[in-house]
Amino acid sequence: MRILIVPDSFKGSLTAQEVCRCIDAGLHQAAPECVTELLPLADGGEGFTECMLNICKGNKLYTETTDIYGRRCKAAIGVVGGSAVIDCAAASGLQKRKDVMRASSYGTGDLIKFAVSQGFRDIILGLGGTGCCDGGAGALVALGAKLYDENYRPISRPCGNDLNSIFGAGFRDIVKDIHFTFACDVDNEYYGSNGAAAVFAPQKGATPAQVRTLDEGLKRLNAFLPRDIAQVKGAGAAGGICGGLYAVYQGDIRSGFEILAEYAALEQRISACDLVVTGEGKTDRQTLMGKLPYRVAQLAAKHGKQCVVLSGTVEEVRFGDRMLSLTDEKTDAATAMAHAAEILTEKSKCILQNAENTI
């Protein structure tokens, strides 16, 4: 039996590469004769660059930048042919300390500027997994834009708290001639009920009052951007980094999954296998909005292949042919996260149970 293992990461526990290795180990313990192919993927959030480098055999360039709170950190960009591949989460990733009002995307702009300094003008930006909601204001300033307060003083490193203090903007000195491909895992708008603040700021630590403040700030920032992006699908990705950069540079907003699937020839790989195994950290109703496991299951069904979904937890959804979870009556979520590799390897032994009867 030929098995394609194509999961997302188990956020907070295992990278997509580690998930692949655990599932592979469990399958071979249960059925040593099976033939496996490992293809770690992502939606466009954290881990997107690693997946691109794995598929395309690219390399990394390291530099110093700042995290969401302005602390110095080391981060990498990927190099694939003539393109730079950058995860917003590399510099602007969500942290244990969640203070979205003081968080900035400045470090992401810093990484983009570094890529340009290395000769890259074609940039694929993986959006998602960020701890900021500044509408890309920080990234734009890092790239040379100017945002001014009511006294016409430049805001040097704008964060969520600063959005409602913007009284002017200038983009004459911004780094020019960049072509962006925005790899999104969501299609939320910049602001509003389906916007970056309303949907994602709470998980970044925002209170209901702060969500309203951030949403008003994003609306205000939009008024100073070169293009109105209020209705642009995906503009709210990565705390609005997508929208802020798109307003200045335009470019292509695409599904991160579709980008990786094209580079990896995913459909051909699915067509050539007997069984597909996918999964993620938490599978719930948001997964049905187009996240990786659901998209993989759809492609498996299209090609008449059985699909097993093996995730950290599964809540109130059913798709694919079988669904397995690391959590059960004996294992709670905290235990599953703390011992994810061990439990995932063990659970993977169950993947082939009854599979031969349904292929």
Side-chain angles (χ1 to χ4, degrees):
M1 178 182 291
R2 187 174 184 85
I3 304 169
L4 178 63
I5 304 170
V6 53
D8 201 343
S9 63
F10 281 27
K11 198 167 186 179
S13 299
L14 301 168
T15 66
Q17 290 82 358
E18 291 168 336
V19 173
C20 277
R21 289 194 289 269
C22 290
I23 294 174
D24 185 56
L27 281 168
H28 278 98
Q29 289 174 30
E33 73 284 356
C34 71
V35 177
T36 55
E37 182 179 6
L38 282 55
L39 183 60
L41 287 189
D43 282 321
E46 189 174 2
F48 178 84
T49 295
E50 284 291 341
C51 291
M52 279 287 288
L53 296 182
N54 178 66
I55 292 166
C56 302
K57 310 305 179 189
N59 62 290
K60 293 180 180 179
L61 296 176
Y62 289 88
T63 186
E64 279 202 351
T65 182
T66 56
D67 69 8
I68 52 175
Y69 303 121
R71 298 172 299 197
R72 299 303 299 176
C73 64
K74 195 172 185 179
I77 67 170
V79 176
V80 174
S83 301
V85 188
I86 301 173
D87 280 355
C88 287
S92 307
L94 184 66
Q95 301 183 17
K96 288 184 178 179
R97 172 192 168 196
K98 297 178 180 179
D99 190 355
V100 69
M101 302 304 292
R102 291 177 173 81
S104 174
S105 63
Y106 190 97
T108 292
D110 218 13
L111 287 181
I112 295 167
K113 193 173 180 179
F114 169 71
V116 172
S117 76
Q118 300 302 301
F120 297 101
R121 294 285 176 170
D122 185 25
I123 294 175
I124 304 172
L125 194 63
L127 296 149
T130 65
C132 54
C133 189
D134 68 350
L140 289 171
V141 168
L143 287 165
K146 299 291 192 297
L147 298 177
Y148 301 100
D149 65 15
E150 60 183 343
N151 297 311
Y152 210 68
R153 293 175 302 196
I155 303 172
S156 60
R157 190 183 172 279
C159 59
N161 260 335
D162 296 313
L163 297 182
N164 285 298
S165 300
I166 297 171
F167 280 79
F171 300 93
R172 184 185 62 185
D173 299 325
I174 200 165
V175 176
K176 298 175 175 62
D177 301 324
I178 305 174
H179 177 267
F180 282 102
T181 299
F182 299 99
C184 294
D185 60 349
V186 298
D187 63 359
N188 300 76
E189 291 86 15
Y190 202 52
Y191 60 86
S193 61
N194 193 45
V199 178
F200 302 112
Q203 68 195 42
K204 302 177 184 185
T207 65
Q210 288 172 334
V211 168
R212 291 191 292 272
T213 298
L214 287 168
D215 191 63
E216 291 166 0
L218 291 168
K219 186 175 182 180
R220 183 179 187 85
L221 176 58
N222 181 61
F224 290 99
L225 293 173
R227 292 179 183 84
D228 180 1
I229 52 168
Q231 303 302 318
V232 175
K233 294 291 186 182
I241 293 175
C242 179
L245 292 174
Y246 183 83
V248 176
Y249 294 100
Q250 293 191 283
D252 302 312
I253 300 177
R254 300 187 58 198
S255 157
F257 170 78
E258 290 179 358
I259 293 170
L260 289 173
E262 285 181 10
Y263 274 94
L266 178 59
E267 284 210 50
Q268 293 92 316
R269 294 185 191 220
I270 289 175
S271 179
C273 76
D274 300 302
L275 171 67
V276 180
V277 181
T278 188
E280 62 187 337
K282 183 179 181 181
T283 296
D284 56 18
R285 291 182 180 178
Q286 283 195 5
T287 305
L288 303 182
M289 296 170 66
K291 288 191 174 289
L292 186 146
Y294 186 65
R295 299 288 295 274
V296 170
Q298 286 181 312
L299 288 176
K302 175 182 175 181
H303 291 276
K305 307 297 180 178
Q306 186 188 16
C307 181
V308 175
V309 180
L310 172 51
S311 295
T313 60
V314 177
E315 296 181 359
E316 300 178 346
V317 292
R318 301 293 302 178
F319 59 89
D321 295 279
R322 290 182 68 205
M323 300 193 79
L324 300 171
S325 171
L326 302 196
T327 57
D328 53 33
E329 64 277 359
K330 296 179 181 178
T331 307
D332 60 22
T335 301
M337 288 190 71
H339 304 281
E342 176 187 347
I343 298 172
L344 178 58
T345 301
E346 190 64 28
K347 285 279 187 176
S348 297
K349 296 177 183 179
C350 304
I351 288 173
L352 293 178
Q353 291 178 0
N354 303 320
E356 290 82 356
N357 297 328
T358 53
I359 290 177

